[in-house]
Amino acid sequence: MSSDALTGSSMNSELTRLTAAELAQKIHSREVSAVEVTQAHLDRIAAVDDRDEGVHAFLHVDASAALSAAALVDESLDAGTAPASPLAGVPLALKDVLTTSDMPTTVGSKILEGWRPPYDATVTARLRAAGIPILGKTNMDEFAMGSSTEYSAYGVTRNPWDLRRIPGGSGGGSAAALAAFEAPLAIGTDTGGSIRQPAAMTGTVGVKPTYGAVSRFGLVACASSLDQAGPCARTVLDTALLHEVIAGHDPMDSTSIDAPVPDVVEAARRGASGDLRGLRVGVVRELSGEGYQPGVRSTFEAALRQLEALGAELVEVSTPHFRYALAAYYLILPSEVSSNLARFDAMRYGLRVENGATSAEEVMALTREAGFGPEVKRRIILGTYALSSGYYDAYYGQAQKVRTLISRDFAAAFEQADVLVSPTAPTTAFPIGDKVDDPLAMYLNDLATIPTNLAGTTAMSVPSGLAPEDGLPTGLQIMAPALGEAVMYRVAAAYEAARDAEDGGPLIQRVPGLEVSA
Amino acid sequence: MSAPASTPGLVDYDEVVERFDPVLGIEVHVELNTNTKMFCGCPTDFGAEPNTQVCPVCLGLPGALPVVNRAAVESAIRIGLALNCSIAPWGRFARKNYFYPDMPKNFQTSQYDEPIAVNGWLDVELDDGEVVRVEIERAHMEEDTGKSLHVGGATGRIHGAEYSLLDYNRAGVPLIEIVTKMIPGTRERAPEVARAYVTALRDLLRSLGVSDVRMDQGSMRADVNLSLSPRDSGVLGTRTETKNVNSLRSVERAVRYEMTRQAGVLLDGGPVVQETRHFEEASGTTRPGRRKETAEDYRYFPEPDLVPIAPSQEWVEELRGTLPELPWERRKRVKAEWDLSDEELRDLVNAGALDLIAATVAEGAPSGEARSWWVSYLAQQANTRGVELAALPISPADVARVIELVASGELTNKLARQVVDGVLAGEGAPDDVVKARGLAVVSDDGALITAVDEALAGQPDVAQKIRDGKVQAAGAIVGAVMKATKGQADAKRVRELVLERVNA
Ligand SMILES: [Zn+2]
């Protein structure tokens, strides 16, 4: 079709509906330019991302940085140079928890309002080296603490499926940007489910890689032993392509794994065109029923039937210690948070509140009082208590023992099954304001995702249809052993292909139009 | 004891040791001289412009992560081995959490309950040759803090200051903390044992080459713990920890002062308060640190950003192979080689000259000359300047070169001292000083012969006496020649020439 046949904007909206793999193919064959692709997404952001009424996935958009990165890709391709990566020229939305030397990094907190880091996170640097233009920074719960983005200091992100609902969290901005077709690729971080739960609630794909698979250098810490950055996209293949860009050993992160990155792109391609015969899929008894919304249960059961139809053998596995996971998580995480967030003291960067203070101590206290939101304060207080002398053994010490037991449960389960599955989240996206004043109800969102973080293994969420009762997306969680990403991607791609075939196309295409009517 | 009840006075030292047994404990912090910091690649040079040796990691910027400096771990293991410690096969760093503006992360990364080296000892020789074995509890790695400069206010302390300046150059410099077990039974010699221990430790660390060990620059800092038990009771008293002890002499004074102060408190019926005290250099006393309203709870927990340190047996043994001759081994060897008496050896050790002499010998100088230079002329110079011998700005290699120049006849002893003066004045190496000051011996016989002939002609009566066989009269002519050549002639050669030319 000739470009004359289309107006610029309809051509643009065509581009934003494509997958990253399709966009890369068009850019690398010079059918479209990287600048056009980036501009199309910037236009889409301008059309749907209004802070007050729109999706509000982005806290910061840098059109000129994104366009000049795209222009560099075009120049290099024009000069006949091979693309810097399979995703060169395809733009991306970056969670505002990873440092960027050319954009602010706020972590969704007032305490870092306007802070411009002097350095790029390793993930950021790898994206740049891969020729991936960064459109901007996405919204999140403050310091990645939350499951709805309602704890962002800069306003909530709205779920593109229903703007009155939350998009999940903490990485709701990245997931919503994908679901709203504002970006074909995004980066999230997952401490207890912050990639997977928003993916489930927005009908997108999100992967929490094995702990240490992706460098944490430049990832503003929530809980160091749990945090892991990972790829997000609308398809399993796109997620795999991004996974290979960001994963790999980094000498700047001592906890980074010095091992080859599993060939997840090959696994995703193989999965999409093959079946799952000979593969054992473990259904986690403790994560497969109690307390789930009916539509979550029914779509999960449908997913199990689909996996079976693909030839997988379903086995039931038991993980008796998972029931303690939430309690252990809410001791370990706040403990690390209380220490990691101590550095925000107004002495070197970020917010500074003096208000007539006469000592450094007072400045620190006033700044932290004004700069941290309620959930962050709640966890700092919890963690300070859990680590204090006399309580350490009873709380932090016990929680670490639970962590070991959960790892053993996983190890035993992976003796019986190649991957484990569960619903990603117990409910579909809930209305904005529903749980914001009930921390315990909010914490229950992460029941199924937390064990993976505690064990340092890998897991992902793929769309598993719409819940009949509310028409909102649900997610299937697939869990694999440490560095077992390849088999996980293979299962996810096979399931995605089967479900798309059954549904007559990708679920995500059913997201309602979001343009503010002219 | 007639001190008023409100402020107990000091007790006479003899009375203290008659009534109490002091129990010592010493913690020494040593800054390692690695090229880079403990957890990042920043340089560690002392004295750089403030905040020029910093990066996201040592500034604790959000997102930055530490990576352990392998060279620092090597130094820690070598120190542990030299202190006869066991090296832990596995250990984690911990976070010590507290808020202070000069600490960028508001926690210090430190080995807490899993130190790299444990259970060692160091033999310490006192002035009279008695050897005390000090048991080492642990040596562990940690990072230094930045420095605060409090501006305004009278005291230079944070209290009352108008504002404070922060320099993070030191933040993250690798530190090793070496902690002794309790040192009981030192009685009246406690102050001396404390000083001797810190001295021995300093010499050991210097010979390992792991630190500058400059107490005046803070690269070695001692905290002295002391308690008193009623004599022969074995009942432990309450201890105080005295900080800011910045010289070897201060270590001794601080222990002595705390003994007399605590005895005063106890004899007055009061309890000794467990507290941190600060040593005041000028008065030789200690004062309490600012009392905290709440007990400090450091909330230690394992550092999740670092993986455990797990030195392999092979690595440890490889490092053991790199240990140099340690000070006590060197003493034993030197004593035999130089044929020294116990007393002579001790004098050299006490003067801080032994290592310098040994190093000078290692540079090729004969031991006799090397000893002579360090214990006489250079010792005088150090004394005049009020510094330790090792702090003189002259190296053993310089001294060895001066000795060589004398031996070859290029310098006389008198000229040699002038060359040394030049080196000490910062004029460069001995050869530079010789050249710049024109101090070479006049060894050109032609010039000397002219001077000798002139001197003989000037004193014909003396010349005649020599010719008559009164050889000792030659001294007057030699003197005249030396005067004419401004002392730059080799007197021995002048004398030979006088005897030669008088009959010419
Ligand atoms: Zn640094």
Side-chain angles (χ1 to χ4, degrees):
Chain A
M1 111 182 38
S2 92
S3 59
D4 294 339
L6 289 166
T7 65
S9 76
S10 65
M11 159 87 177
N12 280 352
S13 69
E14 286 288 311
L15 286 177
T16 59
R17 306 299 282 195
L18 300 178
T19 68
E22 289 163 346
L23 287 169
Q25 188 273 323
K26 284 184 189 296
I27 294 167
H28 300 171
S29 67
R30 312 309 289 130
E31 193 182 322
V32 293
S33 70
V35 166
E36 285 172 289
V37 170
T38 295
Q39 187 60 55
H41 287 93
L42 290 168
D43 293 346
R44 175 73 182 168
I45 292 168
V48 307
D49 208 52
D50 183 71
R51 176 180 166 146
D52 297 324
E53 290 171 44
V55 177
H56 188 228
F58 285 86
L59 293 178
H60 181 86
V61 176
D62 192 334
S64 74
L67 288 169
S68 43
L72 280 177
V73 173
D74 286 332
E75 266 172 48
S76 156
L77 291 171
D78 287 345
T81 313
S85 77
L87 291 173
V90 182
L92 171 142
L94 185 60
K95 190 177 181 183
D96 202 23
V97 68
L98 289 148
T99 59
T100 39
S101 56
D102 56 350
M103 296 180 209
T105 301
T106 68
V107 204
S109 180
K110 281 284 175 220
I111 212 156
L112 274 183
E113 187 161 19
W115 181 57
R116 287 185 175 259
Y119 75 107
D120 272 341
T122 298
V123 166
T124 309
R126 288 192 178 174
L127 293 170
R128 294 195 206 278
I132 295 176
I134 298 169
L135 296 165
K137 308 293 287 289
T138 57
N139 197 15
M140 56 186 288
D141 288 293
E142 183 179 7
F143 281 97
M145 297 176 208
S147 305
S148 68
T149 73
E150 290 167 291
Y151 293 130
S152 167
Y154 302 100
V156 69
T157 294
R158 297 173 191 86
N159 193 322
W161 290 84
D162 178 350
L163 293 178
R164 293 162 303 174
R165 290 174 186 266
I166 60 96
S170 67
S174 283
L178 296 170
F181 296 93
E182 296 172 85
L185 298 170
I187 297 289
T189 61
D190 191 313
T191 305
S194 287
I195 286 175
R196 290 162 286 162
Q197 183 254 17
M201 294 196 166
T202 56
T204 58
V205 181
V207 171
K208 188 216 90 88
T210 302
Y211 183 78
V214 177
S215 171
R216 289 186 299 116
F217 189 76
L219 191 175
V220 180
C222 172
S224 309
S225 74
L226 300 162
D227 295 342
Q228 186 62 203
C232 308
R234 290 188 294 262
T235 71
V236 173
L237 177 62
D238 287 357
T239 313
L241 287 163
L242 185 55
H243 189 116
E244 291 196 359
V245 168
I246 59 172
H249 182 244
D250 178 11
M252 299 294 278
D253 175 359
S254 311
T255 61
S256 155
I257 298 172
D258 194 359
V261 178
D263 192 345
V264 293
V265 172
E266 168 58 24
R269 290 193 202 279
R270 199 151 56 92
S273 57
D275 57 38
L276 297 177
R277 265 176 292 182
L279 212 88
R280 297 164 305 162
V281 171
V283 182
V284 183
R285 192 191 299 150
E286 286 77 6
L287 299 177
S288 55
E290 299 299 303
Y292 291 110
Q293 185 181 321
V296 169
R297 287 182 75 151
S298 63
T299 53
F300 178 62
E301 274 149 25
L304 294 180
R305 284 194 297 278
Q306 239 148 358
L307 291 169
E308 231 169 1
L310 283 162
E313 181 199 343
L314 296 188
V315 292
E316 195 190 57
V317 300
S318 177
T319 51
H321 299 98
F322 279 22
R323 79 177 76 156
Y324 306 114
L326 198 69
Y329 178 82
Y330 278 102
L331 288 169
I332 291 169
L333 176 136
S335 297
E336 294 183 11
V337 161
S338 71
S339 174
N340 281 335
L341 269 57
R343 70 190 60 193
F344 300 97
D345 62 3
M347 294 296 124
R348 292 160 296 276
Y349 45 78
L351 184 72
R352 184 181 179 101
V353 179
E354 298 199 356
N355 275 355
T358 56
S359 71
E361 260 171 23
E362 269 179 87
V363 173
M364 288 182 187
L366 287 170
T367 303
R368 290 166 69 80
E369 163 65 33
F372 288 137
E375 183 60 22
V376 169
K377 282 179 189 157
R378 184 152 43 233
R379 297 198 196 184
I380 289 174
I381 291 167
L382 264 174
T384 303
Y385 183 76
L387 287 178
S388 50
S389 125
Y391 296 98
Y392 178 90
D393 289 337
Y395 294 128
Y396 190 83
Q398 283 297 106
Q400 288 293 4
K401 285 181 195 155
V402 169
R403 197 170 184 173
T404 305
L405 294 173
I406 285 168
S407 290
R408 284 191 200 150
D409 278 2
F410 266 119
F414 287 127
E415 294 277 306
Q416 297 170 260
D418 300 293
V419 296
L420 308 178
V421 292
S422 77
T424 305
T427 66
T428 55
F430 45 88
I432 291 168
D434 232 26
K435 298 184 182 176
V436 73
D437 295 322
D438 186 353
L440 286 180
M442 194 72 98
Y443 295 171
L444 287 173
N445 266 285
D446 299 328
L447 206 57
T449 46
I450 278 172
T452 296
N453 299 82
L454 288 171
T457 50
T458 182
M460 68 190 288
S461 181
V462 279
S464 53
L466 302 179
E469 64 270 28
D470 55 18
L472 292 168
T474 64
L476 171 71
Q477 178 176 230
I478 307 171
M479 296 164 268
L483 293 177
E485 275 88 350
V487 65
M488 180 175 80
Y489 272 97
R490 184 184 148 208
V491 172
Y495 168 68
E496 176 188 58
R499 200 210 59 229
D500 285 359
E502 194 179 297
D503 287 3
L507 186 73
I508 194 69
Q509 300 295 350
R510 290 192 244 162
V511 170
L514 296 164
E515 283 89 347
V516 179
S517 50
Chain B
M1 258 291 320
S2 60
S6 54
T7 50
L10 304 179
V11 176
D12 177 70
Y13 191 73
D14 291 336
E15 192 186 343
V16 176
V17 294
E18 207 172 285
R19 305 185 63 154
F20 298 99
D21 290 330
V23 178
L24 277 172
I26 301 169
E27 293 171 21
V28 171
H29 283 89
V30 184
E31 269 183 6
L32 296 181
N33 59 2
T34 49
N35 293 326
T36 56
K37 292 185 181 181
M38 187 73 226
F39 300 116
C40 66
C42 289
T44 54
D45 308 327
F46 181 81
E49 280 291 300
N51 297 313
T52 54
Q53 299 184 344
V54 293
C55 73
V57 176
C58 57
L59 282 178
L61 293 189
L65 294 173
V67 176
V68 173
N69 179 346
R70 187 182 165 93
V73 178
E74 283 188 3
S75 291
I77 293 174
R78 293 174 76 235
I79 290 169
L81 291 172
L83 288 170
N84 307 292
C85 291
S86 327
I87 303 303
W90 191 88
R92 290 172 297 184
F93 280 93
R95 290 185 183 178
K96 180 181 184 179
N97 294 287
Y98 63 100
F99 283 86
Y100 202 79
D102 66 14
M103 200 164 52
K105 298 169 291 182
N106 285 319
F107 62 77
Q108 181 191 35
T109 306
S110 162
Q111 289 187 310
Y112 166 55
D113 49 2
E114 296 169 11
I116 190 146
V118 292
N119 291 332
W121 45 264
L122 179 62
D123 279 341
V124 174
E125 195 174 334
L126 305 184
D127 287 350
D128 67 355
E130 189 192 329
V131 173
V132 175
R133 174 159 293 189
V134 173
E135 292 193 74
I136 306 294
E137 184 177 299
R138 56 191 279 160
H140 73 250
M141 294 178 276
E142 59 187 36
E143 57 178 338
D144 213 338
T145 61
K147 276 184 191 164
S148 307
L149 179 68
H150 305 297
V151 183
T155 56
R157 294 194 208 117
I158 192 164
H159 211 64
E162 279 169 46
Y163 60 94
S164 302
L165 297 171
L166 296 165
D167 176 8
Y168 293 103
N169 282 352
R170 200 182 65 177
V173 167
L175 284 182
I176 303 289
E177 182 177 345
I178 299 160
V179 183
T180 67
K181 293 184 180 169
M182 281 194 297
I183 312 168
T186 55
R187 298 265 153 107
E188 78 282 0
R189 310 196 70 169
E192 188 191 348
V193 168
R195 178 179 51 74
Y197 166 71
V198 178
T199 309
L201 188 58
R202 183 200 59 179
D203 292 349
L204 172 66
L205 296 169
R206 185 183 282 147
S207 74
L208 289 171
V210 294
S211 170
D212 302 336
V213 285
R214 293 283 299 268
M215 291 187 87
D216 55 335
Q217 290 183 353
S219 59
M220 180 167 175
R221 314 195 273 271
D223 300 340
V224 179
N225 294 327
L226 185 97
S227 66
L228 295 181
S229 306
R231 180 105 195 212
D232 298 325
S233 71
V235 178
L236 280 179
T238 305
R239 71 192 173 93
T240 60
E241 180 179 12
T242 303
K243 291 182 181 288
N244 196 35
V245 188
N246 294 329
S247 71
L248 295 172
R249 187 166 160 261
S250 298
V251 170
E252 186 162 357
R253 290 168 80 205
V255 172
R256 195 179 174 96
Y257 178 80
E258 268 303 285
M259 285 172 68
T260 53
R261 186 192 69 83
Q262 288 187 17
V265 173
L266 292 170
L267 292 178
D268 197 55
V272 171
V273 179
Q274 181 166 348
E275 63 185 352
T276 299
R277 299 181 68 86
H278 289 264
F279 184 67
E280 302 273 13
E281 189 76 44
S283 60
T285 61
T286 68
R287 63 167 171 82
R290 197 154 72 93
R291 199 73 53 84
K292 292 183 182 97
E293 287 146 35
T294 50
E296 198 74 76
D297 182 349
Y298 293 122
R299 293 174 286 121
Y300 286 100
F301 75 107
E303 166 59 275
D305 284 331
L306 291 171
V307 289
I309 306 267
S312 68
Q313 194 65 38
E314 297 76 58
W315 189 29
V316 172
E317 288 314 311
E318 193 187 312
L319 291 172
R320 197 190 296 279
T322 70
L323 294 183
E325 182 181 42
L326 298 174
W328 51 90
E329 293 166 351
R330 168 177 289 179
R331 269 167 225 168
K332 208 182 281 176
R333 175 178 63 78
V334 159
K335 182 169 180 291
E337 280 180 10
W338 302 352
D339 194 22
L340 300 174
S341 70
D342 282 347
E343 200 173 10
E344 284 169 321
L345 178 70
R346 208 153 51 234
D347 288 346
L348 294 183
V349 170
N350 291 345
L354 189 81
D355 291 348
L356 296 164
I357 296 167
T360 309
V361 171
E363 293 286 342
S367 67
E369 276 86 340
R371 269 168 68 191
S372 155
W373 273 104
W374 285 107
V375 300
S376 57
Y377 189 68
L378 288 167
Q380 284 163 30
Q381 299 306 309
N383 204 27
T384 310
R385 291 161 179 244
V387 298
E388 289 174 47
L389 206 47
L392 283 177
I394 187 167
S395 70
D398 292 336
V399 176
R401 176 63 182 151
V402 169
I403 291 169
E404 188 185 353
L405 289 170
V406 172
S408 68
E410 286 165 74
L411 289 181
T412 61
N413 279 330
K414 188 177 162 203
L415 287 178
R417 283 194 287 274
Q418 291 180 42
V419 171
V420 167
D421 290 344
V423 175
L424 292 174
E427 293 168 26
D431 290 296
D432 303 330
V433 178
V434 167
K435 201 174 285 173
R437 290 198 179 185
L439 293 178
V441 163
V442 178
S443 57
D444 174 359
D445 278 0
L448 276 185
I449 287 166
T450 310
V452 168
D453 287 352
E454 279 172 11
L456 288 169
Q459 300 183 64
D461 47 332
V462 178
Q464 191 52 49
K465 278 185 188 163
I466 299 169
R467 274 192 287 272
D468 292 345
K470 290 191 173 152
V471 178
Q472 62 270 38
I477 306 294
V478 172
V481 172
M482 293 307 286
K483 197 173 173 191
T485 58
K486 298 196 176 74
Q488 294 188 38
D490 177 355
K492 205 170 125 214
R493 181 67 188 143
V494 172
R495 190 177 179 81
E496 284 166 11
L497 285 173
V498 169
L499 298 177
E500 203 177 299
R501 298 299 297 174
V502 75
N503 294 313

